[in-house]
């Protein structure tokens, strides 16, 4: 039992945009914070005299939205959503669809679409704690797409809107037989080499993590990714942090993940109304509910969510 818990602890943070802070890297909490601030600022634009504040923080935005009395609730709401985001790693550390690993694009999208429907249902019935939990979970999956797939390597600088729109098809996913990465490459500190024809033809793939990896497919990469071979953890395509296999693309992946998260939040807003959206993110007179002792202790030790402004990287 002890070894199982140790393995789980090691897996957390090496399989996804990181939970703990890493120098010059954005983790899930940073990405979620920035996205909520930007999306909420757009909702607030209709307020009389609104000017987007600089720096953009939970406190300055609440003031600009003429809701400064609810700044503390707003910070709590962001922390709750971010907590459930990172809990996806704890609850589903080896589930490919929750992280868009192993080319599970259809199943990952289905999680997001079902989550969006559930959020609206919860909001309409006043179950905002359930809505926040579900929001955090699907934001995690959405954000991981940009770190774990080759979307950024193909040159895309905008989000894949098909992931949040049922009627859109995911563009050109690789089939099970298509080889996507070169094999036997040397360690050049640049990670795995995606095959030229995959990039040229814009064929979508993602790294495999675990025993499901097929010959010729890309690996996720990282210390515990044994699909790459013994002592070849560098040989993957993830962009979870700047020291990851394709870490040189980390900031591009994080920035597109932020933009995608804003799009998802705007979709929720447009499916509901301004007051309901404010309640969802916590910018409301009703204090968000949750296990604050557990949630806030996590952020006290591991993150700066809701206490810092969004940065420009």
């Amino acid at each position: 039992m002890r070894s199982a818990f140790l393995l789980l602890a090691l897996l957390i943070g090496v399989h996804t945009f990181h939970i703990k802070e890493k120098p010059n890297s954005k983790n899930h909490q940073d990405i979620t914070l920035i996205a909520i601030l930007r999306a909420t600022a757009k909702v607030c634009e209709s307020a009389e005299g609104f000017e987007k504040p600089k720096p953009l923080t939970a406190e300055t935005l609440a003031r600009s939205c003429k809701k400064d009395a609810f700044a503390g609730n707003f910070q709590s709401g962001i922390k709750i959503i971010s907590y459930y985001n990172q809990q996806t790693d704890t609850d589903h550390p080896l589930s490919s669809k929750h992280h868009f690993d192993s080319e599970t694009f259809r199943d990952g999208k289905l999680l997001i679409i079902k989550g969006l429907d559930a959020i609206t249902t919860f909001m309409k019935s006043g179950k905002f704690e359930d809505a926040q939990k579900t929001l955090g979970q699907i934001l995690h999956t959405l954000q991981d797409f940009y770190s774990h797939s080759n979307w950024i390597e193909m040159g895309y600088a905008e989000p894949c809107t098909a992931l949040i729109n049922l009627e859109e098809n995911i563009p050109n996913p690789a089939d099970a037989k298509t080889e996507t990465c070169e094999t036997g490459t040397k360690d050049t500190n640049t990670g795995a080499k995606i095959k030229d024809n995959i990039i040229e033809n814009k064929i979508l793939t993602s790294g495999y993590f675990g025993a499901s990896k097929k010959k010729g497919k890309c690996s996720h990469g990282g210390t515990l990714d044994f699909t790459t071979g013994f002592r070849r953890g560098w040989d993957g395509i993830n962009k979870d942090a700047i020291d990851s296999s394709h870490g040189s693309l980390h900031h591009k992946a994080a920035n597109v993940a932020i933009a995608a998260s804003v799009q998802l939040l705007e979709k929720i807003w447009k499916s509901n109304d301004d007051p309901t959206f404010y309640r969802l993110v916590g910018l409301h007179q009703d204090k968000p509910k949750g296990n604050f002792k557990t949630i806030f202790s996590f952020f006290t030790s591991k993150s700066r969510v809701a206490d810092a402004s969004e940065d420009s990287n």
Side-chain angles (χ1 to χ4, degrees), residues 57-73:
T57 69
E59 185 175 12
T60 62
L61 183 56
R63 188 180 306 118
S64 294
C65 293
K66 308 297 188 291
K67 296 178 181 292
D68 51 309
F70 311 142
N73 290 349

Side-chain angles (χ1 to χ4, degrees), residues 217-235:
K217 290 296 187 181
C218 300
S219 291
H220 177 276
T223 306
L224 294 179
D225 182 6
F226 300 118
T227 64
T228 59
F230 181 62
R231 299 183 69 179
R232 288 176 63 91
W234 54 270
D235 193 5

Side-chain angles (χ1 to χ4, degrees), residues 8-20 22 89 240:
L8 179 60
L10 288 170
L11 285 168
I12 300 305
V14 299
H15 187 48
T16 183
F17 274 122
H18 286 258
I19 294 173
K20 294 184 178 181
K22 299 195 78 172
D89 276 334
D240 294 334

Side-chain angles (χ1 to χ4, degrees), residues 39-311:
T40 306
K42 290 190 177 185
V43 181
C44 287
E45 285 178 355
S46 60
E48 184 177 353
F50 174 78
E51 292 186 9
K52 188 175 180 179
K54 293 183 179 180
L56 183 60
T57 69
E59 185 175 12
T60 62
L61 183 56
R63 188 180 306 118
S64 294
C65 293
K66 308 297 188 291
K67 296 178 181 292
D68 51 309
F70 311 142
N73 290 349
F74 191 23
Q75 290 182 335
S76 296
I78 294 172
K79 286 184 176 181
I80 290 170
I81 294 166
S82 298
Y83 173 77
Y84 286 120
N85 181 316
Q86 64 83 26
Q87 277 294 107
T88 302
D89 276 334
T90 302
D91 296 337
H92 308 284
L94 299 178
S95 170
S96 294
K97 65 183 179 181
H98 283 85
H99 309 283
F100 277 115
D101 292 326
S102 307
E103 300 178 338
T104 52
F105 299 118
R106 179 183 176 278
D107 291 341
K109 172 179 176 173
L110 191 58
L111 280 176
I112 295 170
I113 296 299
K114 286 184 175 180
L116 282 168
D117 290 341
I119 288 168
T120 293
T121 299
F122 286 140
M123 291 167 70
K124 290 185 182 302
S125 59
K127 298 179 179 178
F128 285 92
E129 183 179 359
D130 291 329
Q132 289 170 333
K133 179 178 181 179
T134 305
L135 175 57
Q137 292 169 337
I138 65 172
L139 279 174
H140 183 106
T141 300
L142 179 68
Q143 291 161 5
D144 270 356
F145 174 83
Y146 300 97
S147 177
H148 297 175
S149 77
N150 64 332
W151 186 259
I152 303 300
E153 285 87 345
M154 291 191 292
Y156 292 116
E158 298 296 328
C160 177
T161 54
L163 299 180
I164 63 171
N165 294 313
L166 180 62
E167 66 278 7
E168 289 186 49
N169 293 322
I170 295 173
N172 207 19
D175 60 38
K177 296 181 180 179
T178 300
E179 294 191 1
T180 54
C181 269
E182 301 287 354
T183 58
T185 55
K186 296 180 179 180
D187 185 359
T188 58
N189 293 319
T190 56
K193 185 180 188 307
I194 300 173
K195 286 180 173 288
D196 292 339
N197 68 299
I198 298 299
I199 301 299
E200 292 167 3
N201 296 320
K202 293 191 179 298
I203 299 173
L204 185 66
T205 185
S206 66
Y208 281 68
F209 193 98
S212 63
K213 182 179 182 293
K214 303 176 181 68
K215 182 180 179 181
K217 290 296 187 181
C218 300
S219 291
H220 177 276
T223 306
L224 294 179
D225 182 6
F226 300 118
T227 64
T228 59
F230 181 62
R231 299 183 69 179
R232 288 176 63 91
W234 54 270
D235 193 5
I237 66 169
N238 84 83
K239 296 158 284 293
D240 294 334
I242 59 168
D243 59 354
S244 298
S245 299
H246 281 195
S248 62
L249 297 174
H250 167 74
H251 285 297
K252 288 184 179 180
N255 288 338
V256 180
I258 290 168
S261 299
V262 171
Q263 287 184 350
L264 183 145
L265 288 162
E266 288 181 337
K267 188 176 181 71
I268 294 171
W269 165 39
K270 292 174 182 178
S271 297
N272 295 277
D273 54 36
D274 292 9
T276 312
F277 182 85
Y278 288 137
R279 178 87 179 272
L280 175 67
V281 297
L283 192 55
H284 189 269
Q285 64 184 8
D286 292 340
K287 186 177 180 63
K289 298 179 181 179
N291 188 339
F292 287 98
K293 184 176 180 180
T294 299
I295 292 171
F296 286 13
S297 64
F298 172 86
F299 287 110
T300 299
S301 61
K302 297 185 179 180
S303 177
R304 58 183 178 82
V305 165
D307 296 322
S309 64
E310 69 162 275
D311 56 51

